[in-house]
Amino acid sequence: MSYENEKDLEAQANVATVPKQHVHSSAVGILETDDGVPRTKGVFAPLWKAMSWFDRFGVEARGIERVPEDDRPHTSWWDNGTLWFSVNACVGTFGVGYLGNLYWDMGLRDSALTIVFFNLLSCAPVAYMSTFGKELGLRQMVLSRFSMGYWTGMIPVIFNLIACTGWATMNTIAGVSCWQAISQTHQIPTVAAVIICFIIAMGTSAKYMDLPGAWGGSGPVEAAGVLSFGCAIVGYALGWVSFAADFTVSMPKETSTKKLFWVTFWGLAIPLIFIELMGALAVTTFAARPDWEEMFNDGAVGGLLAALLQPCGGFGKFVLVILGLSTVAVDTPNVYIFTNTFHALSPYCQAVPRPFIALLISIVYAALAAAGADSFSAVLENLLLFLAYWLAIYFGIVVAEHLIFRKNSFENYAPEDYKDWRKLPLGLAALVALGMGWCGAALGMSTSWFVGEIAQRIGGGGDVGFELAFGFAVVTFVPLRYLERRWWGY
């Protein structure tokens, strides 16, 4: 080999080691792209000028643009587990735990078993969808287009915007309710501090708890309670499935799928089960302490926690501050996902920089929280049931597409086509499946405002809405999607 050829090879090697500058990794780079988004026109131009200034602070500019495989620096799969653990270690999770006793007259034992079983069931889909992000580099709502098409894919986008706003509102109400009886402020806690606070609350109230606890009703009445409470639990845990892939798009494709699945699964399941069990335990103190029940009736979840911590005096108030501030950990991902989901609505929505969307939605959910502060438990129940229905439909369609029509292989996706509706499914199969899924939900739902025909036959109101929604959606989607692929080609 000649000396000149050796120098050429050496020069090529040096060039290959130079990091590639990706157009979507900064505001300046995004402005240079030609993707049909009117970022430099009209009212959007000054917003992106501000975003260019934010670049120096490391503010994330990338929205729903695909993260290329050579621009994924997040190599710690463990972080996804700690993320979900932190998000779910909050007051809202505690509030879910006592719903079985509050609305369905369940005893401690059947509440506990329901909490464990339905959480384990509903954490699996979230962990499964988390693995899609690192494989495709696409946000959850965007990758949905490969099963629902571009236009039908707007329906889950709209539902996700409602869900993000609802969750942020409910968690804010729960956090603020912890502060009603206190005046001093303290530093934002770590997740460890929040867990310790819950343990303190349990310790101070343990002598008043009805242990080992009673069973609830029997026969059809018990079945109705278990199914309805289980549906609420599924709505809470499965509520993250429409967010799941967003937090793994920056992980390398080579990240272990098994490790990522299990760390996500247990990162969800441990705090959900642990803290919801605390909520179920807390309401068993009312027989021995009716004054605590009055505090709960007056102040919802914050009033209950204040009652449990009453024996601690001033330190108990400090603990309430920390519990209230745990809201920050759970509101942050909701706002983060809202900004990505908003971008998926249209190119004009995508032209709005995400920090400004975050500011707007924060104002909206704060106003909603102020308006609904006195109805925490009732609104939470209805929100959870709604989420369980639609997310069962959503997951059924997406997983059926992946397992059956993509043959459980990410090689059968063309992720760079996420913007081209002509290279995506037409969406008619998904549209009909969504409609049929809601028909199944209507037959099986049991809410304060409607009880379906099938639900009425289970103890007078056993909620099987999410099970029927999932089944109706999948059974409808599979044959129609087969026909759609043959006619449309994608």
Side-chain angles (χ1 to χ4, degrees):
M1 181 182 293
S2 67
Y3 177 73
E4 289 76 9
N5 289 337
E6 289 179 358
K7 292 202 67 175
D8 288 343
L9 289 174
E10 183 180 354
Q12 291 173 16
N14 289 335
V15 170
T17 61
V18 176
K20 182 180 178 181
Q21 297 297 315
H22 291 281
V23 296
H24 293 149
S25 59
S26 67
V28 174
I30 289 177
L31 288 172
E32 293 174 353
T33 62
D34 183 18
D35 56 1
V37 178
R39 300 182 183 92
T40 59
K41 298 179 181 179
V43 296
F44 304 121
L47 298 180
W48 279 96
K49 185 176 182 180
M51 274 302 298
S52 300
W53 183 77
F54 288 155
D55 268 349
R56 70 186 69 184
F57 303 107
V59 176
E60 184 179 31
R62 179 185 277 124
I64 61 170
E65 297 84 8
R66 181 173 182 258
V67 183
E69 292 179 21
D70 55 350
D71 188 27
R72 303 184 189 177
H74 197 161
T75 57
S76 177
W77 51 267
W78 181 259
D79 288 349
N80 213 48
T82 56
L83 165 74
W84 291 117
F85 192 103
S86 301
V87 165
N88 289 286
C90 65
V91 176
T93 306
F94 182 84
V96 174
Y98 60 64
L99 292 178
N101 176 278
L102 183 64
Y103 288 105
W104 299 289
D105 296 320
M106 297 177 67
L108 176 60
R109 294 187 182 188
D110 38 2
S111 288
L113 291 173
T114 304
I115 286 170
V116 172
F117 174 77
F118 280 96
N119 270 308
L120 293 177
L121 174 69
S122 50
C123 288
V126 184
Y128 182 66
M129 293 309 303
S130 291
T131 64
F132 281 53
K134 60 104 175 177
E135 293 287 348
L136 299 175
L138 294 172
R139 309 286 183 173
Q140 187 69 50
M141 288 293 100
V142 175
L143 66 85
S144 306
R145 296 174 181 176
F146 289 91
S147 53
M148 298 185 178
Y150 189 92
W151 303 111
T152 303
M154 295 298 172
I155 297 175
V157 167
I158 294 169
F159 280 142
N160 210 40
L161 291 172
I162 296 171
C164 290
T165 307
W167 275 128
T169 301
M170 295 309 304
N171 288 308
T172 301
I173 292 173
V176 171
S177 71
C178 293
W179 298 341
Q180 291 180 340
I182 50 181
S183 59
Q184 67 268 36
T185 58
H186 301 277
Q187 296 297 315
I188 295 176
T190 62
V191 63
V194 176
I195 296 297
I196 292 170
C197 291
F198 279 119
I199 293 173
I200 292 171
M202 292 295 100
T204 57
S205 59
K207 64 181 179 180
Y208 302 112
M209 293 177 181
D210 179 18
L211 297 172
W215 293 98
S218 60
V221 174
E222 183 182 27
V226 169
L227 290 169
S228 298
F229 184 36
C231 188
I233 291 169
V234 168
Y236 193 79
L238 193 64
W240 299 116
V241 79
S242 59
F243 301 8
D246 287 58
F247 298 107
T248 58
V249 292
S250 294
M251 291 185 177
K253 193 172 183 178
E254 296 74 25
T255 303
S256 170
T257 298
K258 289 183 179 179
K259 290 179 179 178
L260 183 59
F261 175 90
W262 286 114
V263 77
T264 303
F265 179 86
W266 291 114
L268 286 158
I270 292 173
L272 288 172
I273 293 172
F274 184 61
I275 298 175
E276 285 174 14
L277 286 174
M278 289 183 178
L281 280 165
V283 293
T284 66
T285 63
F286 292 166
R289 294 297 302 264
D291 56 321
W292 287 6
E293 185 174 9
E294 290 181 12
M295 292 180 69
F296 168 66
N297 292 334
D298 292 337
V301 63
L304 175 57
L305 287 167
L308 301 178
L309 293 164
Q310 209 173 38
C312 295
F315 178 70
K317 294 182 179 180
F318 169 74
V319 171
L320 279 175
V321 174
I322 293 180
L323 289 172
L325 286 170
S326 69
T327 302
V328 174
V330 69
D331 275 354
T332 299
N334 277 289
V335 174
Y336 178 86
I337 298 301
F338 185 96
T339 62
N340 288 327
T341 305
F342 186 82
H343 271 195
L345 274 175
S346 76
Y348 288 97
C349 294
Q350 194 177 346
V352 182
R354 290 172 56 206
F356 297 100
I357 303 172
L359 176 62
L360 178 62
I361 188 56
S362 298
I363 295 172
V364 170
Y365 78 69
L368 291 173
D374 297 328
S375 307
F376 174 78
S377 296
V379 176
L380 177 62
E381 177 210 2
N382 287 314
L383 176 64
L384 292 178
L385 296 179
F386 164 77
L387 289 174
Y389 306 146
W390 99 260
L391 288 172
I393 298 168
Y394 169 79
F395 179 70
I397 292 173
V398 174
V399 77
E401 172 73 25
H402 181 69
L403 295 179
I404 298 173
F405 299 105
R406 307 284 175 171
K407 297 180 173 56
N408 196 27
S409 173
F410 292 102
E411 298 300 320
N412 293 321
Y413 291 82
E416 64 277 2
D417 292 338
Y418 74 93
K419 293 183 295 183
D420 189 350
W421 66 270
R422 297 172 186 83
K423 296 182 179 180
L424 296 168
L426 185 59
L428 290 179
L431 182 62
V432 176
L434 283 167
M436 291 301 297
W438 276 109
C439 289
L443 289 171
M445 70 172 58
S446 176
T447 68
S448 57
W449 47 273
F450 181 80
V451 180
E453 183 67 28
I454 295 177
Q456 292 178 20
R457 300 175 185 271
I458 307 174
D463 198 313
V464 288
F466 86 87
E467 296 95 333
L468 291 177
F470 178 88
F472 275 48
V474 172
V475 169
T476 303
F477 178 74
V478 172
L480 292 181
R481 181 74 178 107
Y482 174 79
L483 295 174
E484 182 181 80
R485 282 171 62 91
R486 291 201 61 177
W487 179 68
W488 181 250
Y490 291 97

